Amino acid sequence: MDTIAGKTLYSGLPPGPRGMLIGGHIRHFGGAELLNFLLETARTYGPLASFRVGPKRIFLASKPELIEQVLVTDAKHYVKHFGARAFRPALGNGLVTSEGSYWQGQRKLVQPAFQKTRVRSYAVAMADLTEAMLQSWAPGKSVRINFEFEALTSRIALKTLFDLDDDGDGDRERFSDTLKLAFDLMTARLRRVVKFPLWVPTPENVRLRRAIAELDRTVQGFIAEGRSRGKSGDDLLSRLIFAKREDGSEMNDRELRDEAMTLYLASHETTALTLTWTWVLLSRHSRVEAKLVSEWRDVLAGKIPSADDIPRLPYTNAVITESMRLLPAVYLLGREATTDLELGGYRVKRGYTVMMSQWVNHRDPEYFPDPEEFRPERWEGGLARRLPKFAYYPFGGGRRVCVGNSFALIEAALVLAGVGQRYRFTVDPEAVIEIKPQITLMPAYDIPVTLERR
Ligand code: HEM
């Protein structure tokens, strides 16, 4: 029997030839100890560890070359793992959950809407909506930063994706809350050993079906409105409505609904978390914050930042890069083998899952000395170019790399500089800051702060 991070693992297999294969059975999976478990497993058992969760055999690959083999070299022999598939009830067959030639065709249709020049056109909405949030703030006011950034990125997503303004009648909150409820229910379902099909009317299934029906109605409304305009506008959905496949066909309503729901969800929570964690880190590193403020003073001199300013803000970009290293919003990826494969000298049988964790790789002392230290300066001098491809991968990689990565980086930089020039945050001394790893790396509790004018 081995013990890892305080957990007992029942060894079923002997250590592999390089002492890196473990056989074990984890009875309980979830909570912050999941992060320690991943890290300890990789540190103790090396680049490729293996364990069981319920009936599933899982590998944890933690060497950049192995991750490259899964996400790039052998990508066509893997599909998304069971965790991603569990969200099909809400996301349907959108980009995150679809596979094969259908995914490839959809990616081709969606990708052009995320070209750098297109994304830059969204920067105006990002800056305007940040400004509107700042107007509603006042020195001395107490806010929950996680909540504020979620509301802001949700407004930015609705505006840039659907050309929808938050008219204050609660529609945005309702949509966002319903989506959250659907996700909580699907996450709970994923963790159940016995899963009833969605048509079985258990109380949870009934709630989930109701939530999904409401989301469907809302998104169908966005699509109908977009179609009624008759031509493509600046928002992403209308670009998708009128985008043509090579054979001249367009997406139908169901396909549009799945992509719209996926993009809304994939876009706003991840960026909100990145902003929240960045501010948490800054609140503990006043030297970094002072250096940021000085960069903003020199480059922006109080003006609202635009997309053109971003390349002139190297320290701001380094802070975001370093924040996504230490607290990556997406901290775990999984793929399932569709055929028997070789990986790192081991056989990955058809149906086995390979997990890869940014939480683990981004803490590898070989590439990041003093990995637990928040030190944006490490990125100065071209570290990103020197690293192996999958030593740092907050946006994944290979053909399924995040389609919105430029969007996210522009949004994070504009919001960080826009907010930080005007306000500083003092985190409530009573606040409990704890990580709750769900599908993304969430804070376990709200993070209350008091606003002070800079
Ligand atoms: C800091 C913010 C973000 C982070 C950390 C992030 C992270 C990721 C990661 C790691 C993946 C790959 C998942 C996998 O391989 O299994 C991914 C995929 C994806 N992301 Fe993001 N993302 C962010 C923001 C966004 C934004 C702003 C959008 C859209 C506007 C977006 C849309 C998507 C989509 C559609 C996919 C699926 C792509 C595909 O499989 O073809 N993400 N994201």
Side-chain angles (χ1 to χ4, degrees), residues 48-61:
L48 192 66
S50 158
F51 50 90
R52 277 186 183 280
V53 176
K56 291 191 163 59
R57 165 68 56 195
I58 301 202
F59 285 88
L60 175 66

Side-chain angles (χ1 to χ4, degrees), residues 382-398:
L383 172 66
R385 281 193 303 278
R386 291 195 305 275
L387 287 174
K389 214 170 185 178
F390 288 93
Y392 177 79
Y393 56 110
F395 294 107

